[in-house]
Amino acid sequence: LSGWWKTMSSHSSIVGEAVKVKSMSGFDRTTFEECYRNKRPLIITDVASSWPAVSKWADFSYLTSAVGEKAKEPQRVFTSDDNCHFLANKGVTVASMSLEEVLDHISSKDSKKIYLRAPLYPELKADIEFPKITRDEESFSDDVSGVWIGSEGNITPLHYDLWHGLLVQAVGRKSVVLYSPDESSFLYQDMSLTGNSHVSQIDLCTINEPDQKRRFSKFSEATAYHAVLSPGEILYIPPCWWHDVVSLDDCISVTIRWHLGNRESVHPCAL
C-alpha cells in the first residue's frame, strides 16, 4: 500500500467495522423501488461493465481524441492545501488547467494531487448507456452530473447531497463510507461554512485521535456502511445520505443525478 493509505488508520478502522453495502447483479426496477430508492445505498453490478466508458477511458489518449479541441479548453481544477481533502475542505483552491493537462499531470504521477469535474461532453456521453432507473416522469439532471478525474489518494470529505445519485466507476477504484441521514445528530454538521451545512466537521482520517474523540463524542454511536467500487460498478446514493469518498487509484468516475420526485420529501437533516 502507498504511504498515504498507511496514514489512514482511523479511516481503515471505520471501514473494518462498517456494514457492507448490498449488491444487485443487473438492475431490477421493482426491487430497487421497493427496497432501495430513497432508503439505502446499493451497488449495481453487471450494468456499466459493458459500457465503452469502462473499456476505453483508461486510455487517456482516447479521451483527448474523443473530445477534440475541447481537451485544450481551460477548466476549473481543484487543488488542496493539505494535498488530500477536496471540495468541502476550507483549504481547497481552484486552478485552471485543460483536460489534456490534467490527464498528463495524473499520468506523470506528480505528487501534487488534483481533482477535475469535467462536463459530460456529448462525445463522452455516447460511451455511457444510461440505465432506466428513474421513474417515467423523471430525467437525469445534466447540471449536477459530470465526469470526475483525480489522483490516487484524493478524499472527498463527509457530506450529503439533496438528490438521488449514481456514482459510476469507469477507471480505478474508490472506497466509500456512508451514513444514513437518520444518524445526522452524530455527524456534527459544519454550520460555519456558508451554504455548506451539508458538510460534516468530522475527518474520518483523524477521528480516532484522542482530541477528536472528545470533541465529537457522539460520533461512535453512528453506524457506517462501506463499499469499494471497481471499474464497471455503480453505487446508488440516496438523497441526504452522508458519504466520504477515497480514491484508491487514479480515478475517473461519472456522477449521474436526478432530483427528488413529487411524492418524496427532503429529510429533516436538510431543513
Side-chain angles (χ1 to χ4, degrees), residues 3-15 80 82-86 89 113 152-158 175 177 179 200-213 216 219 243-248:
W4 65 266
W5 183 247
K6 290 179 181 178
T7 67
M8 297 174 64
S9 58
S10 294
H11 199 281
S12 300
S13 68
I14 291 169
V15 166
S80 173
D82 70 1
N83 205 33
C84 187
H85 293 81
F86 286 81
N89 183 276
K113 302 183 190 306
E152 174 188 356
N154 285 1
I155 297 175
T156 305
L158 193 61
S175 171
V177 176
Y179 295 90
S200 173
Q201 299 178 59
I202 293 170
D203 180 353
L204 296 190
C205 296
T206 61
I207 189 58
N208 280 342
E209 295 178 3
D211 62 326
Q212 297 296 296
K213 281 188 172 183
F216 304 117
F219 174 72
H243 50 288
D244 173 284
V245 186
V246 178
S247 295
L248 303 179

Side-chain angles (χ1 to χ4, degrees), residues 74 95 104 114 118 124-125 128 152 155 167 175 178-179 190 226:
D104 286 344
I114 59 174
L124 300 182
K125 201 171 185 178
I128 298 171
E152 174 188 356
I155 297 175
L167 177 61
S175 171
L178 307 102
Y179 295 90
D190 190 345
H226 179 243

Side-chain angles (χ1 to χ4, degrees), residues 134-149:
T134 59
R135 293 170 179 167
D136 292 341
E137 71 275 12
E138 299 172 333
S139 60
F140 294 127
S141 301
D142 287 343
D143 59 326
V144 289
S145 299
V147 180
W148 290 92
I149 303 173

Side-chain angles (χ1 to χ4, degrees), residues 149-164:
I149 303 173
S151 309
E152 174 188 356
N154 285 1
I155 297 175
T156 305
L158 193 61
H159 70 288
Y160 68 80
D161 301 307
L162 293 174
W163 41 71
H164 297 278

Side-chain angles (χ1 to χ4, degrees), residues 169-204:
Q169 199 59 23
V171 178
R173 298 165 301 138
K174 284 186 172 176
S175 171
V176 187
V177 176
L178 307 102
Y179 295 90
S180 164
D182 294 337
E183 308 272 15
S184 294
S185 60
F186 307 136
L187 300 179
Y188 297 86
Q189 288 171 269
D190 190 345
M191 307 305 290
S192 70
L193 300 175
T194 303
N196 280 308
S197 60
H198 66 293
V199 176
S200 173
Q201 299 178 59
I202 293 170
D203 180 353
L204 296 190

